[in-house]
Amino acid sequence: GIRPDLPSYSAIIKACEAGGQWQWALALWQQMADAGLKPDAVAFSAVIGACYAGEQWDWVLELSWRMRQCGIKPGQQLSRLIFAACEKG
């Protein structure tokens, strides 16, 4: 069968963010990891944005920690979301 690639997962997770579906975003994130795909900055940004939109501050912080563990630095916009989550969480 057809297997989704990293850009496909990122796009679907981004759509979850737009639709306010943070739970689906996290489920897809896990599915992506189970498929052996290593997240990039776009994927991290999408899932962190979805969790932020869903006011899941602990997940925002957890995922930002994982992002740094992968050696990926957040951009300016994502850094603002992470700092805002620190203030709210």
Side-chain angles (χ1 to χ4, degrees):
I2 297 173
R3 295 179 55 129
D5 58 5
L6 185 59
S8 298
Y9 273 107
S10 296
I12 296 167
I13 293 170
K14 189 73 175 164
C16 291
E17 175 187 2
Q21 300 294 320
W22 66 269
Q23 300 97 327
W24 280 105
L26 284 175
L28 287 163
W29 178 262
Q30 185 59 53
Q31 193 177 72
M32 183 179 71
D34 292 346
L37 296 173
K38 185 177 177 183
D40 61 5
V42 174
F44 270 112
S45 180
V47 74
I48 290 171
C51 290
Y52 183 87
E55 299 182 356
Q56 301 302 305
W57 316 129
D58 289 341
W59 273 113
V60 171
L61 299 177
E62 172 67 23
L63 290 163
S64 65
W65 180 81
R66 291 183 192 183
M67 184 178 189
R68 290 198 182 267
Q69 291 297 106
C70 289
I72 301 170
K73 294 181 181 177
Q76 190 174 23
Q77 183 179 0
L78 188 55
S79 291
R80 279 189 237 126
L81 287 184
I82 294 166
F83 288 131
C86 289
E87 292 175 349
K88 296 177 183 206

